[in-house]
Amino acid sequence: MYDQVHSIFDRIAPVYDQLNDWLSLGQHRIWKEMTVKWSRASRGNTCLDLCCGSGDLAFRLARRVGKSGKVYAVDFSAQLLGIAKQRYQSQYPQPSITWIEADVLDLPFEDNQFDAATMGYGLRNVKDISLCLKEIYRVLKPGGTAAILDFHRPQSPLMRSFQEWYLNNIVVNVATNMNLKEEYAYISPSLDCFPIGSEQVNLSLQVGFEQAVHYPIANGVMGVLVVRK
């Protein structure tokens, strides 16, 4: 599964941002801004963005921490990191960001290193959610906060039906036109295996977080798990 997901993200890298805009009608920017706000990152902090993709959350973190802060952005896709670095050099020359190719289940950082962390659309794709949460817990400083954004299955039957229709008829069709049908068809089945908000809270508390809250957004189609060490 790990190799399969890794391969998927390498293949979609060239159109990742374009597809995110089309498939969310531009709303992903709002959700990412909410995620960074919930991470409590502030000026001068050292922050971590996991599964950074093309860099959206990392750039937002960097603007928030300012020139006196530091952001480390991690992804396992060399192709996506390459795109993030290109965007960084051409559009965001000021923020201090270090780009690292690594597995979020085995982070190359010391314990208690980061004031805040974010993750966008990554937790659903890791092979061991509890281990991922343990790694986030390990590298956060005491009192540090992480905010984790992802797709979810809505609790409302009506919204669940709409989501399934949207993924199967809109998302897959758009991806098909870009020769990426198989790459995006995996989203719907991955949601069936993804723990709901209350289960994510329980997993977070089990690995040691002092506080854990899950915030449904976009009528439950998205959610942000906020944890504090």
Side-chain angles (χ1 to χ4, degrees):
M1 179 63 179
Y2 174 86
D3 290 338
Q4 180 184 6
V5 174
H6 193 170
S7 177
I8 286 172
F9 279 94
D10 277 345
R11 291 197 300 272
I12 68 175
V15 295
Y16 184 75
D17 291 317
Q18 187 178 15
L19 275 168
N20 279 345
D21 270 331
W22 287 352
L23 301 178
S24 72
L25 303 177
Q27 296 300 299
H28 70 96
R29 294 184 181 87
I30 297 173
W31 303 330
K32 289 170 180 174
E33 199 62 45
M34 294 169 68
T35 301
V36 170
K37 183 177 180 180
W38 270 321
S39 77
R40 299 183 180 179
S42 59
R43 191 160 299 278
N45 280 175
T46 299
C47 298
L48 175 65
D49 181 36
L50 298 170
C51 302
C52 68
S54 60
D56 279 354
L57 283 168
F59 298 136
R60 285 170 168 79
L61 280 173
R63 288 195 291 270
R64 186 168 284 258
V65 303
K67 293 182 179 179
S68 59
K70 182 71 177 176
V71 173
Y72 293 82
V74 174
D75 204 285
F76 67 173
S77 168
Q79 281 73 15
L80 277 172
L81 280 174
I83 291 170
K85 291 176 184 178
Q86 290 174 7
R87 293 180 69 201
Y88 175 55
Q89 292 167 359
S90 63
Q91 302 176 39
Y92 306 93
Q94 294 302 319
S96 180
I97 304 176
T98 301
W99 307 94
I100 299 172
E101 183 179 349
D103 184 354
V104 296
L105 301 183
D106 186 19
L107 294 170
F109 304 114
E110 299 294 328
D111 296 355
N112 308 314
Q113 187 170 342
F114 297 99
D115 298 288
T118 57
M119 176 185 278
Y121 308 110
L123 192 65
R124 179 172 41 88
N125 295 311
V126 301
K127 62 182 179 181
D128 189 330
I129 290 174
S130 290
L131 180 55
C132 182
L133 292 170
K134 285 179 182 177
E135 275 293 270
I136 295 172
Y137 179 88
R138 180 182 68 79
V139 300
L140 278 177
K141 295 178 181 178
T145 299
I148 301 168
L149 167 69
D150 218 314
F151 282 105
H152 292 78
R153 283 293 191 207
Q155 296 300 297
S156 162
L158 180 62
M159 286 305 301
R160 186 185 181 98
S161 296
F162 171 76
Q163 184 192 60
E164 290 176 349
W165 174 85
Y166 186 79
L167 288 172
N168 293 331
N169 293 278
I170 305 299
V171 172
V172 173
N173 282 343
V174 170
T176 298
N177 290 333
M178 303 180 81
N179 296 317
L180 292 168
K181 178 180 179 179
E182 292 182 5
E183 286 78 358
Y184 273 79
Y186 91 99
I187 293 177
S188 190
S190 75
L191 289 171
D192 293 329
C193 304
F194 193 42
I196 63 173
S198 59
E199 293 170 338
Q200 292 178 33
V201 167
N202 288 335
L203 288 172
S204 302
L205 295 174
Q206 287 171 16
V207 304
F209 284 105
E210 182 178 311
Q211 297 176 5
V213 182
H214 184 268
Y215 297 99
I217 56 177
N219 293 310
V221 173
M222 297 285 161
V224 179
L225 174 67
V226 180
V227 293
R228 183 174 182 273
K229 182 171 177 178

